[in-house]
Amino acid sequence: MSRDTTTPTDKTYTIGESFYPIAPCEFERYERSDVVPDIQFPFDIQPGTVSFTHEPPKKGWVRYMHPEGAQYFCLQHALFMVYTDANLYTETILSKTDEFLQQVIEFISCHGDELQTVFDAETVDLVMDVTHSDQDLVCGYYFAHRPNQTIFWAHDFPASRRLWADVKGVRSELHILHTMQAQYWEHCALFPCSRRRHRKQLTKCEIFSFMEFLIL
């Protein structure tokens, strides 16, 4: 999916030159340019082997497996829970992802009050979509606000062009809320452990909202 990676001119709300806002529906889990070497690697399974584990990446990241088979990673920070499915087993990507994360932390430390949101690990998720652009790595991002079940950004986000370009007459905040909550459930579908970590049970309202998202 083609995405707008233009950064805003207002430097007050620019996390860094390599950052650009995305919506959960624009997350590029299945459109990455990463390739697997076309090589047959020899591997013998020893008798009685029943466990196949992978060493977790360093620096506090925890690996999860999505029901569809994709791996993703989670890290708990005081300001938010962080999610990415960048291949953190590659040292250069791990280093760059941690660098991106540090930029977000510094930005929130300086400008968090301007976003009028309380940042803590029980309230906010940060998602970083680290991808290749030319010869460098860039970072699409969004924040998820769990209590309100909505998505937000530090940049201006052209929602009418990116989220409902084919739908006319959207002007009510209730219309926009419906779309933003649909994006929130898209986020939960991308990173299902984000719900398991904070709720042992879903409320009836949440179940109905998620079912509506699946139908749409």
Side-chain angles (χ1 to χ4, degrees), residues 110-135:
C110 294
H111 303 289
D113 292 342
E114 300 171 40
L115 298 179
Q116 300 180 352
T117 300
V118 175
F119 282 84
D120 61 59
E122 294 297 320
T123 303
V124 177
D125 293 341
L126 164 65
V127 172
M128 299 193 301
D129 193 11
V130 180
T131 57
H132 290 275
S133 176
D134 297 327
Q135 301 300 317

Side-chain angles (χ1 to χ4, degrees), residues 158-170:
S160 58
R161 177 164 56 84
R162 302 267 288 275
L163 298 182
W164 59 82
D166 297 328
V167 179
K168 309 304 180 184
V170 176

Side-chain angles (χ1 to χ4, degrees), residues 7-158:
T7 54
T9 56
D10 182 359
K11 295 300 182 182
T12 302
Y13 288 95
T14 300
I15 299 175
E17 293 182 357
S18 298
F19 283 82
Y20 57 97
I22 62 171
C25 65
E26 298 173 317
F27 194 83
E28 292 191 349
R29 172 165 289 166
Y30 300 110
E31 291 84 24
R32 302 196 184 283
S33 59
D34 300 341
V35 296
V36 176
D38 187 17
I39 301 173
Q40 183 73 37
F41 294 98
F43 190 90
D44 295 330
I45 299 176
Q46 299 300 313
T49 301
V50 296
S51 177
F52 299 88
T53 60
H54 202 311
E55 288 294 325
K58 301 176 182 178
K59 303 181 181 179
W61 291 97
V62 178
R63 177 179 179 268
Y64 289 90
M65 183 66 71
H66 193 277
E68 294 178 349
Q71 71 174 2
Y72 63 94
F73 300 90
C74 173
L75 181 144
Q76 182 169 352
H77 187 273
L79 292 174
F80 30 57
M81 299 298 299
V82 189
Y83 297 93
T84 185
D85 64 359
N87 184 10
L88 301 186
Y89 290 112
T90 301
E91 186 60 36
T92 55
I93 295 178
L94 173 62
S95 177
K96 194 66 176 181
T97 301
D98 284 333
E99 179 183 324
F100 286 146
L101 175 57
Q102 188 58 40
Q103 287 181 265
V104 179
I105 293 169
E106 292 174 0
F107 176 86
I108 297 302
S109 298
C110 294
H111 303 289
D113 292 342
E114 300 171 40
L115 298 179
Q116 300 180 352
T117 300
V118 175
F119 282 84
D120 61 59
E122 294 297 320
T123 303
V124 177
D125 293 341
L126 164 65
V127 172
M128 299 193 301
D129 193 11
V130 180
T131 57
H132 290 275
S133 176
D134 297 327
Q135 301 300 317
D136 204 356
L137 290 169
V138 294
C139 186
Y141 82 96
Y142 64 82
F143 296 101
H145 192 274
R146 287 194 296 275
N148 288 359
Q149 299 178 0
T150 54
I151 304 300
F152 67 100
W153 302 269
H155 294 80
D156 286 340
F157 187 82

